[in-house]
Amino acid sequence: MATEEAAHHDEHHAHPTGILRWITTTNHKDIGTLYLCFSLAMFMVGGLMALVIRTELFQPGLQVVDPHFFNQMTTMHALVMIFGAVMPGFVGFANWMLPMMIGAPDMALPRLNNWSFWILPFAFTMLLSSLLTAGGGPAAGWTLYAPLSIQGGMAVDMTIFAVHMMGVSSILGAINVIVTIFNMRAPGMTLMKLPLFVWTWLITAFLLIAVMPVLAGVVTMLLTDRHFDTAFFNPAGGGDPVMFQHIFWFFGHPEVYILILPAFGIISEIIPTFSRKPLFGYTTMVLATAGIAFLSFIVWAHHMFTVGMPLAGELFFMYSTMLIAVPTGVKVFNWVSTMWRGSLTFETPMLFAIAVVFLFTIGGFSGLMLAITPADFQYHDTYFVVAHFHYVLFSGSIMAMMGGAYYWLPKWTGHMYDEKLGKAHFWSNTIFFNITFFPQHFLGLAGMPRRIPDYALQFTEFNVISSIGAFGLGLSQLLFVYVVIKCVRGGDKASDEVWEQPRGLEWTVPSPAPYHTFETPPRVA
Amino acid sequence: MTATAQQPPTNRRLIFRLVLAVFAMFGFGFALVPLYDVFCDITGLNGKTGVTDSRTVEATPIDKERWITVEFTGNAASGLPWEFRPTVAKMEVQPGALARATYIARNTSNRTVVGRAIPSVSPGEAAAHFNKTECFCFTEQYLDAGETKEMTVQFVVEPDIPHSVNTITLSYAFFNAEKYVKQKTVKATHKDAKLEKTHPDKKS
Amino acid sequence: MLSSRIITAVITVLSVAAIGLLADVAVAAWGLNLPTPVSPIGRDILELHNLILLICLIIFVVVFSFMFYSLYAHRKSKGYQAAQFSHSTTAEVVWTIIPFLILVGMAIPSTATLINMEDTSKADLTIKITGYQWKWRYEYLEHDVGFYSNLATPRAQIEGIEPKGANYLLEVDKPLVVPTNKKIRFLLTANDVIHSWWIPQFGAKKDAIPGYINEMWTLVEKPGTYRGQCTELCGKDHGFMPVVVEAKSPEQFEAWLASEKQGQAKDTADAAREWSKDELLAHGEKVYANCVACHGADGKGVPGAFPAITGSPVATGPVTAHVGLVMNGKSGTAMQAFMNQLSDLDIAAVVTYQRNALGNNTGDIVQPAQVNSVR
């Protein structure tokens, strides 16, 4: 959509039009658009599932769905949001922005790029259609803990294959990102001149390559345990269910940072522009990102303190997890210092960026509380954890993407988005987000476990508030879709710079960005 | 990798390395399985116990100063139609001395069933110092319809067990192992298992 | 201009409403913090939680007062000119080291509490907890007493046919009974999938893992009834397997234990006599509560996931196969072995019920003695 008007700028090749163009495209901007649209679609699907959950939880008692279907919804909501909305969303931003930020004509491996996108619709068709099988979709939670996942029906196998396909897609995307950044930079664009979004994506890509294969391995073992009588995790054959958790979280914790580091990158682009001031502490920002990535490999067992580890193990994982607060803190301090004594304006992208810094920090602090092992025994698997990861994933990753979308939409489409509607979206999104998730902290502390379809009466009030918030949050996103479509279809003409003297090569090309940019590499001073 | 064919050599080399890293990490996922077992053996994680032979035990001195309580418990998991329980709830042992305990299992169904016992010791720091010289958990156990069998475990608590430990719990969970014993071999092994009963000292 | 005013007005109303609601709820229910602990560990955890929360709040307020001051004072609309500094080594070193020191400060009390939590030695009483889909089994290892603890909330309350009771979903047919002021050591394991046993007021939570044994301890200081839930997703009825513990004074506990031993002897006598069809059906309907979760109150099951009993080949076929399935379960499915959970009488009654109710009408009667002969 975004590049439809831009297409006629292209005078080099004749390429197919209509649907075939999108199927065969190797252009990074087209593929970026595909990823972003896919991500938005999955965000809506996952959101609908969340609303099924919140509808059931609006009142105590079973009213709308049965517990088995409820478990399918919690499982699918997580899988769709993580692998369908957040990860492809960031790959979409990477496709659009990385080449333009480093002065490259395209991604290094354009055909691979096409494949890595087109795997996704098939993967998610398989995942979502598992809901239609006898016995319904996967219901063991997105973490697929054995031996519960060994009990499930064919849906679990379909989920495993879908996870394999998503993994292949992510790995191919990551290889492409690394090769592009290493080999396609414009002359003079040294590593320490890379925009921070490029840096965070480079580190994310390495994390993807390191852990997605481990996820593929662990679900493969699960598959053979289910059908080929191996006993990796099945205690009946001498396997160990706790080992599943160890291997899963060896993937799972770096995955958490895969979901947040590119968001840090987007925020680090937006804040300097609207502060009219360079990013504070660029070098420490890069080092902090690398530090977070390194630490992510040695903290996995903090997701499983209650399985009964030896004291030494619990202490090690507690200390290493607490250490993550240091580089994360540095990032927050640096963002605040970037704003300090700037000349601030509050367009929609900046509002999102400020909200991300503020709300993500709440999630960061609840994360620090969860790291304290003795206290974690109380929080573990309660709504406190649900509140925590929605503060980092929704008000971290997803709101950063929304901010990024408003920030770069004028560059993609050549039109300014509707600022009033954008702000309205921001406020209703942010307020309803807090109404939905803040009360869940209290629910968790009061003792409400996660993943339950019905609850005791003392949890009623906060659940009512949370459900009302969830519907407001869901409706707010319709406004977002409307603003985006409106911006694609028309609006005030955006200048090449769009904002006031923003830094970065992407602002030196015309708006909308032509189909091919930087065919002659720019010189970077 | 046709896409790589037209790329300059430096791309190809980088892609090759990255793909290699992907396969290495896929392998690493599987390598975590044996690594985890080694790690458990060393730390006693998950209550995984050690195995030793009686000669080594004879050579270890007995700590006459200490008495340690060993508790026994067991359960037959869902899917295994057996009754299974220890004959005594607990006993006092001295570190370094060989001790012997028995469990009773009864097949309540009307067919032969094969089960496998999974041992687990708690607390974790005791597990690394708890060694078995003989155990019914080393092999699959066969019980005919209605058959009752006494099962023996012979163990030793090593004298270097931390002084903070004064109670150890040995737990067995019996699972249905039919899925893991191939149909063809059922009869043959069944005979072996019976034979073994006549040589209680023989360790498999 | 008008629309932005409307937006502001809407926001104001919403925020006031949200704050009002929050304040209202704070007075109701259990409040906003962890529930009042009744064990030394629970108290340590609460203190630790309050301390860490306080430190986090202070840092949060300090950092964001800088940000909000900046948002207020350093605005372009006020004509503020941007400074162009981009780093300060001193500042960056300071805000790396200070948080590190604060973390060390947090780690010290945490470590102490953790070491205390993991020390299960010198316990006065050992209780084994086994998680089942979806109930708990408690065994007093030294006393040869054991029983199952099932959800006691009637289906009618869950489905909204009857009004919900005060302890909705947090009540069981037979709670775990423990003595006060004794160190109790729990051994945890599971029969099928991973469960997790939790009483918030004890600060005691641990996973029950099939094939493996875990331990933890508690010491309850106050007599009373304490309620919690399973906290590890364990399948369909994960939300319906509460944990209820009754703490009694040591004397009352001993008396309870003695009567428990006698009660188990009475059950054996009950099983010996001949039962009439009506008696069996009446008792069977009660026992059928164990089956309702999967097979449904009407015996129709959940198509594709859990088979129906109405008209099923098992419930209308040979009696011995039916009894065998109930006793031994079906491996690889959620159908568990009820042999050790239900008495001969219970099994006889529930099989009779399933064969003569729920739309089935075979006329078969199963006696406790028949069940016993299969054991």
Side-chain angles (χ1 to χ4, degrees), chain A residues 234-300:
Chain A
N234 197 345
D240 185 342
V242 175
M243 185 173 71
F244 177 88
Q245 301 184 21
H246 278 292
I247 306 179
F248 181 87
W249 287 113
F250 183 84
F251 144 80
H253 204 78
E255 168 72 13
V256 172
Y257 294 115
I258 289 167
L259 299 173
I260 194 68
L261 291 182
F264 289 171
I266 294 175
I267 297 307
S268 306
E269 299 299 323
I270 296 175
I271 292 178
T273 299
F274 298 95
S275 306
R276 293 164 182 78
K277 209 168 143 265
L279 181 70
F280 185 88
Y282 173 88
T283 316
T284 40
M285 286 297 240
V286 172
L287 290 177
T289 313
I292 291 172
F294 168 75
L295 286 173
S296 74
F297 285 101
I298 54 167
V299 298
W300 75 88

Side-chain angles (χ1 to χ4, degrees), chain A residues 60-63 66-68 71 75 134-135 139-141 145-148 150-151 235 238-242 245 275-282 284 305-309 311 314-315 318-319 322-323 325-326 329-330 332-334 336-337 339-346 350 354 357-358 361-362 365 368-369 372-382 384 420 424 427 431-432 435 438-439 442 444-459 461-462 465 500 503, chain C residues 1 3-4 7 11 14-15 18 21-22 25-26 28-35 45 48-49 52-53 56 59-60 63-64 66-71 74-77 80-88 91-92 95-96 99-100 103-104 106-107 110-111 113-115 117-118 133 155 157-160 164-166 168-170 192-194 196 198-201 203-207 209-212 214 229-240 302-306 332-334:
Chain A
L62 292 176
Q63 294 90 11
D66 68 90
H68 187 58
N71 288 345
T75 306
Y145 273 11
L148 183 61
I150 295 174
Q151 281 184 351
D240 185 342
V242 175
Q245 301 184 21
S275 306
R276 293 164 182 78
K277 209 168 143 265
L279 181 70
F280 185 88
Y282 173 88
T284 40
F305 279 137
T306 58
V307 299
M309 265 178 276
L311 180 64
E314 288 178 330
L315 288 174
M318 172 166 79
Y319 298 151
M322 289 171 82
L323 268 187
V326 174
V330 166
V332 173
F333 297 140
N334 282 4
V336 173
S337 307
M339 288 182 237
W340 189 253
R341 293 178 57 207
S343 176
L344 302 173
T345 52
F346 304 103
M350 183 61 165
I354 293 169
V357 174
F358 185 76
T361 306
I362 296 180
F365 277 128
L368 178 60
M369 293 169 74
I372 307 291
T373 314
D376 177 80
F377 279 93
Q378 284 292 63
Y379 313 139
H380 180 86
D381 265 342
T382 67
F384 190 81
K420 265 183 203 154
W427 284 109
I431 290 168
F432 282 120
I435 296 177
F438 205 78
F442 303 129
L445 293 180
M448 179 168 163
R450 292 169 72 172
R451 295 163 164 170
I452 55 171
D454 191 6
Y455 48 82
L457 299 180
Q458 71 263 29
F459 306 130
E461 291 86 349
F462 284 131
I465 298 173
E500 223 174 289
R503 290 166 176 77
Chain C
M1 234 18 244
S3 66
S4 76
I7 293 165
I11 292 162
L14 279 176
S15 343
L21 268 172
L22 286 185
V25 171
W30 275 5
L32 301 172
N33 210 338
L34 294 169
I45 292 176
L48 196 57
H49 162 81
I52 308 277
L53 185 60
C56 289
I59 302 174
F60 190 81
V63 171
F64 285 100
F66 275 97
M67 189 181 88
F68 281 107
Y69 176 77
S70 185
L71 298 187
H74 306 146
R75 270 185 290 176
K76 197 192 171 199
S77 58
Y80 197 88
Q81 291 294 312
Q84 287 302 314
F85 62 88
S86 70
H87 62 273
S88 153
E92 290 172 71
W95 63 51
T96 308
F100 182 78
L103 289 175
V104 172
M106 289 178 174
S110 313
T111 307
T113 306
L114 192 59
I115 290 172
M117 273 177 110
E118 293 295 319
Q133 280 173 321
R155 282 316 278 189
Q157 286 191 16
I158 295 171
E159 281 155 16
K164 294 174 175 44
Y168 176 69
L169 291 191
L170 295 179
D192 30 48
V193 299
I194 302 175
S196 191
W198 183 32
I199 292 281
Q201 287 178 279
K205 180 191 288 163
K206 204 120 211 189
D207 289 358
I209 301 165
Y212 295 89
N214 254 334
Q229 281 174 276
C230 173
T231 52
E232 178 66 60
L233 178 63
C234 54
K236 186 169 154 291
D237 279 0
H238 162 54
F240 303 91
V302 177
F306 303 107
T333 70

Side-chain angles (χ1 to χ4, degrees), chain A residues 70-95:
Chain A
F70 183 89
N71 288 345
Q72 295 169 37
M73 284 294 107
T74 53
T75 306
M76 288 290 248
H77 164 72
L79 287 169
V80 167
M81 285 301 195
I82 292 169
F83 293 102
V86 178
M87 291 171 73
F90 282 133
V91 181
F93 277 97
N95 261 293

Side-chain angles (χ1 to χ4, degrees), chain A residues 111 183 210 213 229 234 240 310, chain B residues 11 25 45-46 48 179-180:
Chain A
R111 257 176 272 178
N183 292 353
D229 294 349
N234 197 345
D240 185 342
Chain B
N11 268 9
M25 287 312 292
L45 184 71
N46 246 340
K48 287 190 180 161
K179 196 174 143 187
Y180 298 98

Side-chain angles (χ1 to χ4, degrees), chain C residues 76-314:
Chain C
K76 197 192 171 199
S77 58
K78 285 190 160 185
Y80 197 88
Q81 291 294 312
Q84 287 302 314
F85 62 88
S86 70
H87 62 273
S88 153
T89 315
T90 330
E92 290 172 71
V93 169
V94 166
W95 63 51
T96 308
I97 289 176
I98 289 182
F100 182 78
L101 294 179
I102 295 174
L103 289 175
V104 172
M106 289 178 174
I108 292 167
S110 313
T111 307
T113 306
L114 192 59
I115 290 172
N116 193 11
M117 273 177 110
E118 293 295 319
D119 178 18
T120 50
S121 63
K122 300 196 178 64
D124 300 311
L125 176 69
T126 302
I127 297 172
K128 184 181 173 193
I129 301 172
T130 312
Y132 288 75
Q133 280 173 321
W134 292 277
K135 59 172 101 29
W136 297 100
R137 179 173 171 77
Y138 301 116
E139 285 162 273
Y140 298 77
L141 285 187
E142 293 103 334
H143 302 283
D144 207 22
V145 167
F147 53 86
Y148 290 87
S149 181
N150 288 286
L151 176 73
T153 304
R155 282 316 278 189
Q157 286 191 16
I158 295 171
E159 281 155 16
I161 302 162
E162 284 173 15
K164 294 174 175 44
N167 293 316
Y168 176 69
L169 291 191
L170 295 179
E171 52 200 343
V172 294
D173 54 357
K174 210 164 170 7
L176 175 67
V177 180
V178 299
T180 51
N181 293 310
K182 297 267 184 210
K183 183 167 181 175
I184 304 157
R185 176 165 159 265
F186 293 112
L187 294 171
L188 297 107
T189 188
N191 194 51
D192 30 48
V193 299
I194 302 175
H195 303 269
S196 191
W197 194 90
W198 183 32
I199 292 281
Q201 287 178 279
F202 297 174
K205 180 191 288 163
K206 204 120 211 189
D207 289 358
I209 301 165
Y212 295 89
I213 196 132
N214 254 334
E215 58 181 283
M216 67 171 171
W217 71 275
T218 195
L219 188 150
V220 188
E221 289 164 334
K222 248 176 71 186
T225 306
Y226 303 102
R227 299 168 199 276
Q229 281 174 276
C230 173
T231 52
E232 178 66 60
L233 178 63
C234 54
K236 186 169 154 291
D237 279 0
H238 162 54
F240 303 91
M241 51 182 292
V243 175
V244 181
V245 178
E246 225 172 88
K248 293 179 190 277
S249 70
E251 302 76 43
Q252 284 176 320
F253 172 76
E254 288 304 329
W256 172 84
L257 202 61
S259 75
E260 227 13 67
K261 283 180 190 165
Q262 280 176 0
Q264 288 186 356
K266 183 184 167 285
D267 289 347
T268 349
D270 260 353
R273 72 179 174 93
E274 188 93 346
W275 286 62
S276 78
K277 187 176 174 184
D278 287 341
E279 279 178 316
L280 285 169
L281 283 176
H283 186 64
E285 193 174 357
K286 277 185 227 146
V287 181
Y288 186 70
N290 286 293
C291 322
V292 170
C294 296
H295 298 294
D298 52 1
K300 299 278 190 293
V302 177
F306 303 107
I309 290 175
T310 311
S312 86
V314 176

